Amino acid sequence: MAYQIKKAAVLGSGVMGSGIAAHLANIGIPVLLLDIVPNKLTEQEEAKGLTVEHPQVRNKFAATAVEKLLKQKPAPLASKQNLSLIEVGNFEDDLEKLKDVDWIIEVIVENLDIKKSLYEKIDAVRKPGTIVSSNTSGISIEAMAEGRSEDFQKHFLGTHFFNPPRYLKLLEVIPTKKTDPEVLSFMLKFGEDRLGKGVVVAKDTPNFIANRIGTYGLLITLREMEKRGYSIGEVDSVTGTLIGRPKSATFRTLDVVGLDTFMHVAKNAYDKTEGEEQKVFELPAFMKKMVDNGWLGAKSKQGFYLKEGKEILELDPVTFEYGPTKKLKTPSIEMAKQQKGLANKVKTLVYANDRTGEILWSILSPTLRYSAELTGEIADDIVAIDNAMKWGFGWQQGPFEIWDAIGVAKSVEKMKEENEEIPAFVQQMLENGFETFYKEEDGDVYFYDGEGYKPVTVNEKAIDLKLYKKKHGVIKKNSGASLIDLGDGIGLLEFHSQSNAIGLDIIQMINFAIDEVEKNYKGLVIGNQGKNFCVGANLAMILMEAQDDNIFELDYTIRSFQNAMMKIKYCRKPVVAAPFQMTLGGGAEVCLPAAHIQASMETYIGLVEVGVGLIPGGAGNVNLYTKHLKGLPNGVHVDYQYVANKVFETIAMAKVSTSAEEAKENNFLDFADGISVNPDHLIYDAKQAALALYEAGYTPPKKEKIPVTGDSGYATLLLGAEGMYLSGYISEHDLKIAKKLAFVLSGGKVPYGTLVDEQYMLDLEREAFLSLVQEPKSQQRMQHMLLKGKPLRN
């Protein structure tokens, strides 16, 4: 049977249920969100004269949850407009509507009897073939399906999302013995391709994969901290980014999750395990006391940490008083910072003979052994376990990748010296003469499966550039970028300078790539797999040249940047930009002239130069203005002033989109540009877009004159800026920048509606940029951004 999900229902509108509904709406799937009927009225409802029978009251829980989606941070919705795809209702009046949906997701209270009672009602109304799944984080999936119809059981499985569903990548899919294999394979594909998730198949065991190992690791950390006398801040200072974990490390993570939520997950594992393993899942006494005190973390404004004014204090779990946050300072931390690559950093720290080495080894050693003991029990292979920890807990390396990094044989030797039992899976691997869990050959990765090495299966859409380059090589590279042959006649220009900042090296490679593609290729993708697509031009270089009064050099650089952007725009072959995450300043300027933008759903794009005292210098002003004009229908009277106002506001306020959908609303993307929900598929999707444009007979845009607002438009833009200045919203220097920006966007001293050359606009932009870069206050802003990482309001 060919499955399709055109409409879904989410049962239960708590934080998780409403978050899943929002994520489905983000990808364009209409959702029915249902919850229980309240059993009594609130005082406000009584005052309005409502009764318990009124629909407003009966649908209250789901309706309130939907309203909250607009206020939650980080935002569950990629665009507020997606709210229109969510319909609310309740379990008593609206269960009949379930016959019209293709997927029902249950997200109600974690109680087996209540869940089974709801499934009985679902079974009576769902149409055969409708997929039903539970978002439980720990109740047995097999037990939930007991007693249901055969068709229900064939189409039932666990789908465990991680919170918040829009941002966290992991989706654990848990089939039962009776789940139809076709349903499972459809959900795996749908989860990756449509929901944009990293999907792992988990077995029906307590807490599945990520929460089982993650909770164990956190509780081991608590135990070792108490046992060895470390402070909360000291542990957090070495269990975060230093070892490739999220910067919230251990205790900040627990504060964010909420101690009550964590307690529930730990109890679930405690109830279903035994012996030594069970002891680990018992919460330490001080944590139980914190829960009794209501010190639950971020939601109660205090937990392991307490913010007083600007100071963040840490809890002393012995005295229960808060004091200044401490950090570990040891020689190994300094040594690790000198090492290249995460694997070498972790290795340096774990074996260090100091307080950092002591705590990290005492946490990692049991967690690695535990992961190995569970292989085969919680998942079929080590790849699923590693991926679950990376996608669910934000670890850069999964447990087996960490083990490879610190050396399996060396660590096992140390474990044996400490009389620790080595899991049979690991012992056997070493006895068979294998030294690592993973190995790489010719750009392909293999994993140890208990007998030998098997290739890691990868979706063809998930192109890993690091491995791809090992396999296929590079056409040309310099310090800032590389040109790669992506196959099928498509080239890829990959940025890899520090922070992917644009300097002359990248500009040089853009020029080379366009020439090469025009001669020998069908199209070009501009993309990379750094932390961010590109956070702008090389600000340090610009500041240095400006402070040295090298205006001639800067003029040459800006001219080169503008020319390279025009080369992208008028390339005879299609150029597709593939932005993701931060795409700021120069990063946005690289995307605007492309024939097509294929953006990751999480793309935060904006021209933010005003924040460093400048205006865009790489054709960003003219390209955003013309992109707005291009979006207007032909033959309709166009108010150029309205367009100039919109673009002025976007650049002057340094507006950054909070998603690719919002970037469409801000006109950084147009209606034809694409959005990839799965970031791992972005390069593939961009390549397909370039091929499609080529096959459709792509021709570059014609060089056309641009209509501008001229003198009168300049005066209008200035009026708004001066009003903001007089109201105290912007500083005198902000006003100076606004005047320069207004002059560029209005096309200078010409009458309204004058058609000007693109080059004329570029010259205005460059002159304005160069005059601002010489301003002392702009230089102070640049310096502040480089030193502090945030804008200065001067």
Side-chain angles (χ1 to χ4, degrees):
M1 173 174 177
Y3 291 97
Q4 262 191 323
I5 291 174
K6 291 178 184 165
K7 188 174 183 185
V10 176
L11 311 186
S13 67
V15 171
M16 202 68 204
S18 60
I20 293 169
H23 187 64
L24 290 167
N26 287 337
I27 59 170
I29 294 177
V31 194
L32 180 63
L33 181 64
L34 306 181
D35 212 322
I36 57 171
V37 174
N39 51 16
K40 60 176 191 279
L41 295 172
T42 62
E43 283 177 21
Q44 293 94 318
E45 286 162 347
E46 278 178 5
K48 284 182 189 168
L50 297 171
T51 68
V52 183
E53 295 308 310
H54 196 285
Q56 200 179 320
V57 175
R58 294 178 76 76
N59 297 340
K60 178 173 70 180
F61 290 135
T64 308
V66 166
E67 280 167 31
K68 281 184 186 166
L69 289 175
L70 293 170
K71 298 179 192 129
Q72 267 167 258
K73 288 217 168 28
L77 293 163
S79 163
K80 289 175 180 169
Q81 293 173 3
N82 295 341
L83 211 56
S84 62
L85 286 170
I86 305 175
E87 178 194 344
V88 299
N90 66 71
F91 294 159
E92 289 176 24
D93 307 325
D94 301 299
L95 276 187
E96 275 294 322
K97 292 179 182 173
L98 295 183
K99 68 180 188 305
D100 301 324
V101 307
D102 310 296
W103 180 23
I104 299 163
I105 311 158
E106 169 273 304
V107 201
I108 64 167
V109 63
E110 291 284 73
N111 176 305
L112 181 60
D113 293 336
I114 297 173
K115 285 183 192 285
K116 287 183 79 164
S117 150
L118 179 61
Y119 290 155
E120 193 176 339
K121 291 171 187 162
I122 294 170
D123 208 353
V125 292
R126 68 181 270 282
K127 64 175 186 283
T130 301
I131 295 168
V132 184
S133 70
S134 173
N135 181 64
T136 181
S137 55
I139 293 180
S140 164
I141 307 294
E142 294 281 354
M144 284 190 227
E146 276 168 18
R148 297 282 48 83
S149 68
E150 191 186 339
D151 188 79
F152 184 105
Q153 294 197 355
K154 268 175 67 177
H155 293 89
F156 181 71
L157 41 95
T159 51
H160 181 218
F161 288 81
F162 274 61
N163 194 30
R166 172 181 160 187
Y167 301 95
L168 275 189
K169 190 173 171 179
L170 180 61
L171 176 66
E172 291 176 322
V173 174
I174 310 99
T176 70
K177 292 184 184 75
K178 291 183 179 169
T179 305
D180 184 339
E182 228 179 290
V183 171
L184 175 63
S185 67
F186 167 76
M187 283 309 287
L188 297 180
K189 190 169 167 34
F190 176 81
E192 186 175 348
D193 290 356
R194 281 297 307 280
L195 294 171
K197 296 290 168 200
V199 187
V200 297
V201 178
K203 298 197 175 186
D204 191 11
T205 56
N207 290 0
F208 312 127
I209 304 173
N211 277 342
R212 178 85 169 264
I213 291 173
T215 306
Y216 182 91
L218 282 164
L219 287 165
I220 284 285
T221 306
L222 289 164
R223 188 184 77 185
E224 294 299 324
M225 175 193 81
E226 270 197 299
K227 184 170 135 189
R228 297 168 189 276
Y230 285 76
S231 89
I232 279 161
E234 283 178 330
V235 171
D236 267 3
S237 68
V238 294
T239 56
T241 50
L242 192 66
I243 58 164
R245 304 272 173 92
K247 65 171 184 268
S248 54
T250 303
F251 295 99
R252 273 184 217 286
T253 299
L254 287 169
D255 272 354
V256 170
V257 167
L259 268 67
D260 50 345
T261 307
F262 179 73
M263 192 174 178
H264 170 79
V265 176
K267 185 182 183 317
N268 190 51
Y270 179 83
D271 291 345
K272 291 171 185 162
T273 50
E274 50 194 37
E276 285 304 309
E277 182 185 3
Q278 188 182 50
K279 282 181 194 166
V280 175
F281 287 109
E282 183 165 8
L283 289 185
F286 80 85
M287 205 164 167
K288 289 177 185 165
K289 188 176 169 185
M290 286 173 74
V291 173
D292 292 342
N293 286 359
W295 297 358
L296 306 177
K299 64 176 96 170
S300 61
K301 302 262 190 300
Q302 80 181 94
F304 291 106
Y305 291 98
L306 173 69
K307 195 173 182 186
E308 277 191 0
K310 285 193 173 177
E311 202 183 352
I312 291 175
L313 306 174
E314 65 170 72
L315 178 73
D316 180 331
V318 179
T319 64
F320 262 67
E321 286 171 3
Y322 288 91
T325 306
K326 301 184 194 74
K327 279 184 177 179
L328 273 181
K329 289 186 174 71
T330 60
S332 64
I333 293 175
E334 293 313 309
M335 277 167 64
K337 285 176 183 170
Q338 310 304 316
Q339 298 291 331
K340 273 200 168 161
L342 180 62
N344 292 325
K345 284 181 172 42
V346 173
K347 196 173 184 175
T348 303
L349 293 163
V350 166
Y351 294 122
N353 194 9
D354 59 22
R355 274 173 63 77
T356 301
E358 182 194 338
I359 188 72
L360 286 179
W361 173 259
S362 69
I363 293 167
L364 275 177
S365 170
T367 308
L368 298 182
R369 282 181 279 113
Y370 186 64
S371 303
E373 277 157 19
L374 291 176
T375 303
E377 181 188 325
I378 60 172
D380 280 334
D381 54 50
I382 64 170
V383 181
I385 293 174
D386 277 348
N387 283 339
M389 297 318 297
K390 290 191 285 190
W391 297 337
F393 275 72
W395 294 10
Q396 275 182 48
Q397 295 176 314
F400 296 96
E401 291 169 322
I402 293 171
W403 213 331
D404 275 352
I406 65 171
V408 183
K410 184 178 179 180
S411 61
V412 165
E413 208 175 298
K414 186 168 177 177
M415 290 167 186
K416 283 178 176 172
E417 281 167 17
E418 293 170 355
N419 295 321
E420 299 294 356
E421 203 175 315
I422 309 303
F425 178 75
V426 182
Q427 191 61 48
Q428 190 189 349
M429 181 180 95
L430 292 170
E431 282 167 9
N432 290 346
F434 301 122
E435 291 182 0
T436 56
F437 293 106
Y438 292 94
K439 68 171 185 173
E440 204 185 290
E441 277 176 15
D442 303 325
D444 290 317
V445 180
Y446 299 82
F447 71 96
Y448 178 71
D449 73 342
E451 292 173 8
Y453 289 100
K454 261 189 177 170
V456 173
T457 51
V458 181
N459 185 327
E460 61 154 355
K461 294 181 182 178
I463 298 169
D464 181 325
L465 287 180
K466 218 179 251 172
L467 294 173
Y468 189 89
K469 285 189 289 187
K470 283 182 184 173
K471 205 168 189 172
H472 301 280
V474 169
I475 299 165
K476 184 174 180 175
K477 71 179 283 191
N478 65 18
S479 55
S482 295
L483 180 62
I484 302 157
D485 186 335
L486 264 189
D488 302 316
I490 302 296
L492 172 84
L493 179 65
E494 178 200 20
F495 296 172
H496 45 61
S497 60
Q498 195 174 351
S499 304
N500 287 346
I502 298 170
L504 283 168
D505 48 2
I506 284 183
I507 293 169
Q508 194 185 348
M509 281 302 292
I510 290 173
N511 289 324
F512 173 80
I514 301 287
D515 290 342
E516 184 66 19
V517 164
E518 285 195 328
K519 279 194 290 241
N520 300 317
Y521 287 81
K522 293 177 179 177
L524 177 70
V525 170
I526 302 178
N528 65 72
Q529 288 172 340
K531 189 178 166 198
N532 296 297
F533 175 75
C534 171
V535 291
N538 186 334
L539 195 60
M541 182 272 292
I542 293 170
L543 178 61
M544 202 167 67
E545 298 289 10
Q547 286 174 334
D548 289 348
D549 274 341
N550 278 344
I551 302 308
F552 177 78
E553 284 286 330
L554 276 174
D555 180 66
Y556 170 76
T557 304
I558 299 306
R559 207 181 284 266
S560 304
F561 192 4
Q562 289 181 339
N563 290 343
M565 296 307 99
M566 292 303 112
K567 215 163 171 170
I568 290 173
K569 191 170 187 173
Y570 298 111
C571 177
R572 293 199 306 276
K573 305 284 176 63
V575 177
V576 176
F580 60 94
Q581 294 293 326
M582 295 293 184
T583 303
L584 306 176
E589 288 181 298
V590 167
C591 297
L592 286 168
H596 181 87
I597 299 174
Q598 182 68 35
S600 169
M601 188 160 111
E602 300 307 328
T603 297
Y604 315 124
I605 187 169
L607 293 166
V608 295
E609 287 81 354
V610 168
V612 289
L614 303 170
I615 68 164
N621 307 285
V622 64
N623 281 334
L624 188 59
Y625 180 66
T626 52
K627 194 141 184 144
H628 273 68
L629 289 175
K630 197 174 86 178
L632 298 167
N634 285 333
V636 172
H637 170 70
V638 176
D639 178 358
Y640 300 126
Q641 188 61 56
Y642 174 76
V643 177
N645 291 354
K646 288 282 288 177
V647 177
F648 178 77
E649 191 185 310
T650 301
I651 300 174
M653 308 289 283
K655 283 188 179 176
V656 176
S657 70
T658 60
S659 67
E661 276 197 58
E662 204 175 276
K664 276 196 172 181
E665 290 159 26
N666 294 347
N667 277 81
F668 280 98
L669 272 63
D670 61 35
F671 69 94
D673 290 327
I675 296 175
S676 296
V677 184
N678 191 324
D680 293 348
H681 298 179
L682 181 61
I683 299 284
Y684 174 89
D685 293 344
K687 176 184 168 181
Q688 299 312 309
L691 279 169
L693 283 168
Y694 176 82
E695 300 300 342
Y698 176 78
T699 53
K702 292 197 297 286
K703 290 196 179 186
E704 290 176 327
K705 295 204 169 206
I706 302 161
V708 292
T709 56
D711 279 333
S712 62
Y714 175 61
T716 306
L717 292 175
L718 226 49
L719 203 62
E722 280 172 343
M724 288 181 81
Y725 170 63
L726 292 170
S727 312
Y729 281 112
I730 61 173
S731 70
E732 195 176 337
H733 192 56
D734 289 325
L735 182 61
K736 185 177 271 187
I737 300 164
K739 282 180 178 174
K740 299 279 184 190
L741 177 62
F743 192 73
V744 173
L745 288 174
S746 58
K749 294 186 183 308
V750 294
Y752 178 91
T754 301
L755 294 168
V756 301
D757 284 338
E758 196 167 48
Q759 190 55 51
Y760 166 81
M761 294 278 283
L762 292 173
D763 291 343
L764 289 181
E765 173 184 279
R766 198 174 64 257
E767 285 156 20
F769 183 94
L770 291 170
S771 71
L772 284 169
V773 90
Q774 295 172 74
E775 291 278 343
K777 284 193 171 175
S778 287
Q779 292 182 11
Q780 284 167 15
R781 286 190 180 192
M782 287 187 260
Q783 194 146 11
H784 192 269
M785 180 59 81
L786 287 166
L787 291 173
K788 308 271 186 191
K790 51 188 178 199
L792 169 72
R793 309 304 308 175
N794 59 352

